[in-house]
Amino acid sequence: VFNGNLSPAWMEQQVAQSWGLPPGALAGTLGRSTHELDIGGKVFAGYRFHPYGAVEAGYSNLTLSRYFKFDYQGYAAPLLGTTLNGQYKADAGWLGLGGRLPIPAHPALSVYGKVGAAYTTARFDVTSTGIPYQSSAKASKWTPLLAVGAQYDFTPSWGARVEYESYGRIGDADTTGQVDARLITVDVLYKH
């Protein structure tokens, strides 16, 4: 789930800047982005140092393929029929400290929370039809990692969890655009 400044208004500003036009010169000429959700995934390993505490490290692919399509609806003849196609990709390597609380009535079920840090990388590539514009940008930075979830242990060795993670605001406001990255996963666990 993504929000942030990656919007038609931000794209208008980027295109105007690349053409040497003053800020606001293309204001209101772009349509809106077409996608709000996409598919991601993660792999991780952890060590339980206490019955109620563990440390985990992993890698999350926050967007396997996230596409944007901006259509010019403008008044200027050179812009009519122009489309900007953007592909946004993001991933994160992370380390977190988690705490779990078993449900007394259901010993196999527990709830947990996780806090940590993630090193995130965002990439935004844009191509166009109708106008000479192409852009490619990449930005990396540390962001906070927060998560909550529920876990069910089928056996002492196997379990599953549903987890909601927030990676904070990733990307750069000036180059890739910034987005709030969140990941909802269903995880399969093997415990040794």
Side-chain angles (χ1 to χ4, degrees):
V1 180
F2 291 83
N3 294 301
N5 80 330
L6 188 60
S7 65
W10 184 80
M11 285 300 303
E12 288 167 356
Q13 175 184 330
Q14 299 300 104
V15 175
Q17 182 178 338
S18 73
W19 286 350
L21 299 175
L26 299 179
T29 62
L30 280 179
R32 60 182 177 81
S33 60
T34 56
H35 288 32
E36 295 298 330
L37 298 175
D38 212 328
I39 298 173
K42 68 181 176 184
V43 294
F44 63 96
Y47 175 72
R48 181 174 290 176
F49 57 83
H50 185 275
Y52 304 130
V55 62
E56 294 180 352
Y59 167 80
S60 297
N61 186 327
L62 301 174
T63 51
L64 297 179
S65 59
R66 179 170 165 77
Y67 293 93
F68 296 84
K69 190 172 183 179
F70 301 99
D71 294 308
Y72 276 98
Q73 334 231 338
Y75 41 84
L79 299 180
L80 294 178
T82 292
T83 300
L84 297 179
N85 298 294
Q87 183 178 26
Y88 203 98
K89 294 183 178 180
D91 56 22
W94 51 268
L95 181 67
L97 184 64
R100 64 185 283 266
L101 180 64
I103 307 290
H106 301 280
L109 183 64
S110 60
V111 294
Y112 66 92
K114 183 168 60 183
V115 296
Y119 188 73
T120 61
T121 300
R123 291 172 293 275
F124 191 34
D125 299 306
V126 182
T127 57
S128 68
T129 58
I131 56 172
Y133 180 79
Q134 186 170 346
S135 173
S136 182
K138 179 179 175 181
S140 298
K141 67 178 180 180
W142 287 96
T143 62
L145 170 67
L146 300 172
V148 293
Q151 179 173 321
Y152 185 82
D153 297 320
F154 299 105
T155 71
S157 297
W158 290 95
R161 64 166 63 156
V162 176
E163 185 172 81
Y164 172 88
E165 294 173 300
S166 172
Y167 292 84
R169 183 155 284 200
I170 65 174
D172 179 80
D174 296 323
T175 58
T176 62
Q178 285 186 321
V179 295
D180 293 322
R182 303 172 196 134
L183 186 64
I184 299 171
T185 58
V186 177
D187 307 326
V188 177
L189 307 174
Y190 174 71
K191 297 170 285 179
H192 179 66

